[in-house]
Amino acid sequence: MIVETAPTEEQEMNPWLAAEARFEEASERLKLDDGMRKVLRTPSREIIVHIPVMLDDGRLEVFTGYRVQHSIARGPAKGGIRFAPDVTLDEVRALAAWMTWKCAVVNIPFGGSKGGVICEPSVLSEGELERITRRYTAEILEFIGPEKDVPAPDMNTNERTMAWIMDTYSMHFRHTVTAVVTGKPFNLGGSRGRVEATGRGCMIVTLEALKRFGLRPEDTSVVIQGFGNVGGMAARLMSAVGFKIVALIEIDGAVYNKHGLSIQALMEHKKESGSILDFAEAENIDKDEAMFLPCDVLVPAAKENVINSHNAGRIRARILCEGANGPTTAAADAILAENNIFVIPDILANAGGVTVSYFEWVQDRQGFFWNLDLVNRRLAEIMVESFDAVVDYAQKHTVNNRIAAYMVALDRVAFAVKLRGIYA
Ligand code: GLU
């Protein structure tokens, strides 16, 4: 059933309900029966752990962590782990489901999962973060593994976090198991090209969208929200192929240059000063208004719910490329559609990361590593093929790109469930 009444503020901002709304619409259009819907929507396993950790000052603290395995229908569960003070089980659930759909959209042989630990990484020392990571890993040890569930970086976790998880897991099993996580440092079984893969994927699908608009990168203005791993890499790679990145938005402010920002110089400026603000070649602008600048492409690459029913009508981009997971609420979808904004939905736009994670897992299991050119070529092949599959599906079935992506994904996962049957 598609919910017709307007959601409350709390409902609109709940990522699990956002995932559910799209799931309902796609399964309705696919005419999936009720039983299949129940199987597909319900996470198969939800783990909650409470992790005691000794802080640097000798105090004991207990942190709460989650790992939700949404589906293993198409292969081992796959998905990142985030560290943030406001992580909730509903959020991790939604993110886990999105991983299932994401892996299915790009047709890689994984299910979906996600993890989270409630903590404020900015006030924790390296040692504290390491102890949280190792104890969290120990608590979920029997549920992860190369054939079971393969974690990766997400918000506030990185290569170093993955190295700790890999080491903790390996110490318990008494041999080195590199394929238990992806997004590792290259010298520990990581893949070339993994760090920039999500940003590169965003660039590839945006280039594909431009073709459909008859635009060239040189004539395309871009606004990017977020200058972290996804936004920063997207900015760097997009500007290298000629896009004009006119504005960059971060948590403490935004910068603007109508001729395009020099991303390399801006990265150096941020490294030296700690902020993108007061960059000599740009003007500081209001961060809450920057998202509504007229531009060709808007890339929200920071956090959830930034485009919602209150502000979606003010977006003046022609193309929305969702680098973050869940940047647009379900209620905002209709407004974007009404305004003819071409949406490249998150489960397609940011799938470059998990695609190269898949390559990393394959390389680890073979013990044979590919060069950067091969990684990037195979990534481009998958992203272009998936983009075409989603956009052509949308046109053929007159649905928006997001619902098309969900329909392609749900259909693939439902097919796997049907083929396998239900074990009893
Ligand atoms: N955290 C990333 C995502 O949301 C990557 C997940 C992975 O590589 O497993 O897609």
Side-chain angles (χ1 to χ4, degrees), residues 27-28 63 65 86 104 113 143 159 172 178 187 192 224 261-262 275 283 291 324 330 334 362 375 379 387 410:
S27 44
E28 191 76 32
F63 296 89
D86 53 357
S113 55
F143 303 108
E159 289 191 344
H172 279 264
T178 54
N187 291 322
R192 289 188 169 87
I224 300 183
L261 298 156
S262 158
S275 166
E283 52 177 303
M291 219 171 54
V362 168
V375 170
L379 171 64
F387 176 92
L410 260 65

Side-chain angles (χ1 to χ4, degrees), residues 223-242:
V223 172
I224 300 183
Q225 182 190 48
F227 203 40
N229 180 39
V230 182
M233 289 298 175
R236 208 190 74 197
L237 294 166
M238 287 172 100
S239 95
V241 297

Side-chain angles (χ1 to χ4, degrees), residues 78-80 99 102 114 152-154 182 194 325 353-354 357:
K78 185 84 192 77
M99 287 309 301
K102 192 185 300 188
K114 202 80 170 199
D154 198 77
T182 59
R194 175 63 185 85
N325 288 312
V354 75
S357 276

Side-chain angles (χ1 to χ4, degrees), residues 67 77-82 95 98-99 102-103 108 110-111 113-114 150-155 157 181-183 194 198 229-230 323-325 346 350-358 360:
R67 185 75 183 166
K78 185 84 192 77
I81 294 171
R82 58 173 56 180
L95 288 159
W98 284 329
M99 287 309 301
K102 192 185 300 188
C103 292
I108 56 177
F110 286 136
S113 55
K114 202 80 170 199
V150 186
D154 198 77
M155 221 184 262
T157 57
V181 282
T182 59
R194 175 63 185 85
T198 312
N229 180 39
V230 182
N325 288 312
D346 49 3
N350 71 35
V354 75
T355 300
V356 176
S357 276
Y358 165 52
E360 180 173 334

